[in-house]
Amino acid sequence: MFPTTRPRRLRQTDVLRRMVRENTLTVNDLIYPLFAVPGNAVAKEVVSMPGVYQLSVDKIVDEAKEVRDLGIPAIILFGIPEDKDTDATGAWHDCGIVQKATEAVKKAVPDLVVIVDTCLCEYTNHGHCGYLETGDLTGRVLNDPTLKLLKKTAVSQANAGADIIAPSGMMDGFVQAIREALDDHDFQNIPILSYAAKYASAYYGPFRDAADSSPQFGDRRTYQMDPGNSREALKEVELDLLEGADMVMVKPALSYMDIIWRIKEMTNLPVAAYNVSGEYSMVKAAALNGWIDEQKVTLETLTSFKRAGADLILTYHAKDAARWLQG
Ligand code: PBG
Ligand code: ZN
C-alpha cells in the first residue's frame, strides 16, 4: 500500500519504461494492402484515403520493392478488373489483374510474402461477394455455388505464385472448400488466412472507393457479421479451425478489440487484425486538419492491437509505421 507501493517507480525513465514494456510493435507485425488496376504507369490516389493509390502492375512492383526495403514482410493484393460480370470472371481468370500482379511481384521481389484476398466483390457487376439468384435485388448471396468460384479463384492465385490465400467473403464452408481445392492441385503448403470474424461495417466505406466494390443494391448483412455479436465470432473461428485455417483474422480492428482478445484466448493460431480503410481515413483526416499527431496516434493504435492479442496487423499505415519505427 502507498506509500510503500509506488507504481511510478518503474515509469521514471525511458530505459526503465522500455524494460517493463509488455507489448512492442515491430515491422515484422505489418502487412501492407495494395490495389492493382489495369494499364501502365497508373498511380491514382484514392480520394477518401490520402496516401493510398490504385496502381498498375509496373507501379505495384516498384511499391513492393519499397515495402521490402522498409523491412515489411508481406503485402496483401486486391484487384480492380477491366470488366465485371455475374460470374466474377476477373477473379479466377489466369490473366486476371491480381494474378498478373502476383506473378510480377514474385518475379521481382521473391522474398516478399504475397497474400491475396480471395473474394468476388471486386469482380461481380453487382458488387456482392458471390453468386446471386437471377433477379435478386437484396444481395442474398448463394453460398454453395459461390464456393465453386472461390475454389477456382484460390487455385488460379496459387498458380500465379501467391504465398498465402486469404478468403474474405464470409461464406459458410469456404475454408474447407479452398483447402480441398488447393490440396487437389498440389498446393498443400500454401497457408489459409481466413477472414474468420468479419463484421458488416460502415468502416469499409473508403475501401469500396479504392476497390470499386460497393454493392449496387442491398448490403452485406446476410453474410458479414452483426456488430452486436461476439460469441458468434468465436463460433466462426471454431468452424474455421476445424476446416483447416492456418491463421484467423478479425475485421475491423479498432471497434472490435474485445473480439481480438477473446479469439486470442481461445486459439493458439496466429491472429490477424485488419486496421480497415475507415479507421485509416479518420486518422488521416484529423491529422491533415492538424487536430492530432499522426505519428503518435498511429503508433499508439497499432501497439494497442498487439496488446489486444494481434500477431499480425494489416494496415494502410504500414510504410509510415515502418519508417517511424526505424527512427
Ligand atoms: C471484401 C473486402 C472488404 C475489405 C477487404 N476485402 C470489405 C467489404 O467491402 O465488405 C475491407 C477493407 C478495408 O475497409 O480496408 N470482401
Ligand atoms: Zn467480398
Side-chain angles (χ1 to χ4, degrees):
M1 273 306 187
F2 179 81
T4 322
T5 300
R6 290 177 181 269
R8 288 184 57 193
R9 281 188 198 117
L10 297 179
R11 296 182 201 139
Q12 293 181 85
T13 61
D14 192 55
V15 68
L16 270 174
R17 290 190 293 269
R18 262 205 291 143
M19 286 171 71
V20 298
R21 186 164 297 140
E22 298 171 41
N23 296 283
T24 308
L25 178 73
T26 80
V27 73
N28 299 322
D29 305 321
L30 304 173
I31 298 169
Y32 189 54
L34 289 172
F35 299 95
V37 290
N40 226 303
V42 181
K44 191 166 168 253
E45 192 167 31
V46 180
V47 175
S48 53
M49 299 179 75
V52 173
Y53 297 81
Q54 296 180 332
L55 301 169
S56 50
V57 171
D58 53 316
K59 293 280 184 182
I60 291 261
V61 169
D62 295 344
E63 194 76 359
K65 288 179 186 156
E66 196 184 328
V67 168
R68 186 264 323 268
D69 292 344
L70 285 166
I72 297 167
I75 57 171
I76 179 162
L77 286 176
F78 298 93
I80 298 104
E82 201 107 44
D83 298 300
K84 303 183 185 231
D85 56 28
T86 51
D87 292 333
T89 307
W92 46 263
H93 203 277
D94 287 336
C95 300
I97 184 73
V98 159
Q99 286 80 355
K100 281 199 246 175
T102 303
E103 267 166 38
V105 171
K106 287 313 292 183
K107 195 162 161 228
V109 203
D111 49 336
L112 183 71
V113 172
V114 175
I115 306 173
V116 289
D117 182 89
T118 304
C119 199
L120 308 177
C121 47
E122 292 127 61
Y123 309 93
T124 52
N125 48 13
H126 44 66
H128 279 286
C129 300
Y131 264 128
L132 296 181
E133 197 111 50
T134 315
D136 181 314
L137 288 177
T138 62
R140 239 178 240 122
V141 168
L142 300 171
N143 197 86
D144 298 9
T146 298
L147 296 181
K148 296 203 181 90
L149 290 186
L150 290 176
K151 288 172 146 192
K152 269 168 84 161
T153 304
V155 170
S156 80
Q157 291 169 335
N159 274 326
D163 295 299
I164 298 177
I165 299 291
S168 67
M170 290 298 281
M171 295 298 122
D172 294 337
F174 70 165
V175 173
Q176 181 182 316
I178 289 172
R179 184 72 272 157
E180 277 171 14
L182 290 174
D183 290 358
D184 281 349
H185 289 81
D186 273 335
F187 292 119
Q188 289 88 348
N189 290 326
I190 294 195
I192 296 177
L193 164 58
S194 174
Y195 287 63
K198 178 174 178 182
Y199 286 85
S201 172
Y203 283 99
Y204 305 150
F207 172 93
R208 292 179 188 172
D209 297 339
D212 185 23
S213 62
S214 290
Q216 299 302 301
F217 46 80
D219 55 45
R220 302 209 207 285
R221 286 182 299 172
T222 70
Y223 40 107
Q224 297 178 350
M225 283 178 46
D226 189 323
N229 295 352
S230 54
R231 282 179 304 163
E232 188 188 6
L234 303 185
K235 181 176 81 181
E236 284 283 0
V237 170
E238 205 172 273
L239 292 171
D240 284 3
L241 300 182
L242 291 171
E243 290 178 27
D246 299 280
M247 300 183 267
V248 287
M249 194 195 296
V250 177
K251 181 179 170 190
L254 210 40
S255 294
Y256 298 86
M257 292 234 244
D258 54 325
I259 308 298
I260 299 173
W261 175 255
R262 291 185 69 176
I263 288 176
K264 183 64 171 200
E265 295 273 276
M266 78 172 272
T267 174
N268 292 320
L269 294 190
V271 176
Y274 201 137
N275 178 213
V276 300
S277 56
E279 300 170 13
Y280 171 85
S281 300
M282 290 194 303
V283 170
K284 280 293 192 185
L288 286 167
N289 270 298
W291 295 340
I292 58 167
D293 181 322
E294 181 178 359
Q295 175 173 342
K296 286 188 176 151
V297 166
T298 301
L299 292 177
E300 180 179 332
T301 304
L302 299 177
T303 303
S304 309
F305 298 145
K306 292 291 301 282
R307 195 192 62 238
D311 300 289
L312 300 162
I313 303 167
L314 296 90
T315 180
Y316 305 98
H317 297 290
K319 286 200 301 172
D320 288 332
R323 283 190 205 104
W324 294 327
L325 288 171
Q326 280 170 1

